[in-house]
Amino acid sequence: MTVRVGVLALQGDTREHLAALREAGADALSVRRVAEMKSVDALVIPGGESTAISHLLREFELLEPLRARLADGMPAYGSCAGMILLADEILDAGAEGRRAEPLHGIDMTVRRNAFGRQVDSFEEDIAFQGLDGHVHAVFIRAPWVERVGPEVEVLARAGGHPVAVRQGRMLATAFHPEVTGDRRVHKLFVDSLG
């Protein structure tokens, strides 16, 4: 049976994640409404701008339903801004009224824009536990993980900081594998759903 994976399509790399998930063997579709979110087996929260995505989650009345689905065990994968939102705690979350909202999916503390501003974006080949060879990681105004809970497994590091983590069937990366053509991270996520 093919798993149905939604990609939160409010802002960010939606098209790239949809293509990567399909190549990894999933039935992938865009999610913009509660009914669409209820129809999927798992969800990808793409990169983009975490405060903008949080604002749109509130505007589209998706924030609390998404928190409820995650609390009920819906698997999720977040890249960059998605990693930030899947955290229990967000450092430098933004100004009051325009803050990144934690979804409480992974027991971790994440710092927004930890590697610096847009001009500090970079690419690096990193070792990724469970995958053969290195992963070419694209970091764009990327976060890093400052604290992980006891159930969280660190899968990759850059600059000494955790940049890929897994807790059960939750996965998060500080980088954007959807833009490189390497589908191994998406395949790792899809395979965990079977």
Side-chain angles (χ1 to χ4, degrees):
M1 181 177 110
T2 304
V3 293
R4 190 168 218 218
V5 181
V7 176
L8 189 64
L10 302 178
Q11 194 249 358
D13 295 343
T14 304
R15 184 179 65 235
E16 294 86 349
H17 277 292
L18 288 167
L21 288 164
R22 289 176 182 137
E23 289 178 37
D27 175 19
L29 65 143
S30 297
V31 170
R32 291 183 190 89
R33 294 176 181 79
V34 173
E36 292 165 339
M37 188 177 57
K38 288 180 178 178
S39 76
V40 298
D41 302 309
L43 185 71
V44 170
I45 304 170
E49 211 294 310
S50 56
T51 60
I53 295 171
S54 291
H55 171 74
L56 293 168
L57 283 168
R58 287 188 297 271
E59 287 295 309
F60 284 81
E61 299 180 352
L62 283 166
L63 182 60
E64 293 310 321
L66 177 51
R67 282 181 174 152
R69 284 280 330 258
L70 293 171
D72 285 343
M74 178 180 68
Y77 165 49
S79 68
C80 198
M83 170 186 256
I84 294 166
L85 296 175
L86 281 176
D88 272 347
E89 181 183 14
I90 302 169
L91 302 178
D92 301 323
E96 196 61 44
R98 187 126 170 102
R99 298 178 60 81
E101 296 282 351
L103 297 172
H104 306 288
I106 298 176
D107 182 10
M108 64 180 172
T109 301
V110 173
R111 182 174 299 279
R112 290 177 68 233
N113 303 327
F115 285 104
R117 302 173 70 74
Q118 189 77 22
V119 296
D120 301 310
S121 298
F122 66 99
E123 299 180 25
E124 181 179 317
D125 292 336
I126 59 174
F128 194 110
Q129 187 176 327
L131 298 179
D132 292 332
H134 284 78
V135 170
H136 186 72
V138 176
F139 295 89
I140 304 170
R141 288 178 54 211
W144 68 45
V145 178
E146 295 219 348
R147 177 201 61 83
V148 294
E151 303 297 315
V152 178
E153 178 183 11
V154 175
L155 300 175
R157 294 178 182 273
H161 300 282
V163 294
V165 297
R166 176 173 49 201
Q167 181 177 350
R169 296 191 307 166
M170 298 282 187
L171 178 67
T173 60
F175 55 91
H176 294 265
E178 73 278 5
V179 301
T180 67
D182 183 344
R183 303 308 189 211
R184 291 178 295 160
V185 173
H186 288 83
K187 181 91 170 112
L188 181 72
F189 178 61
V190 170
D191 288 350
S192 76
L193 306 175

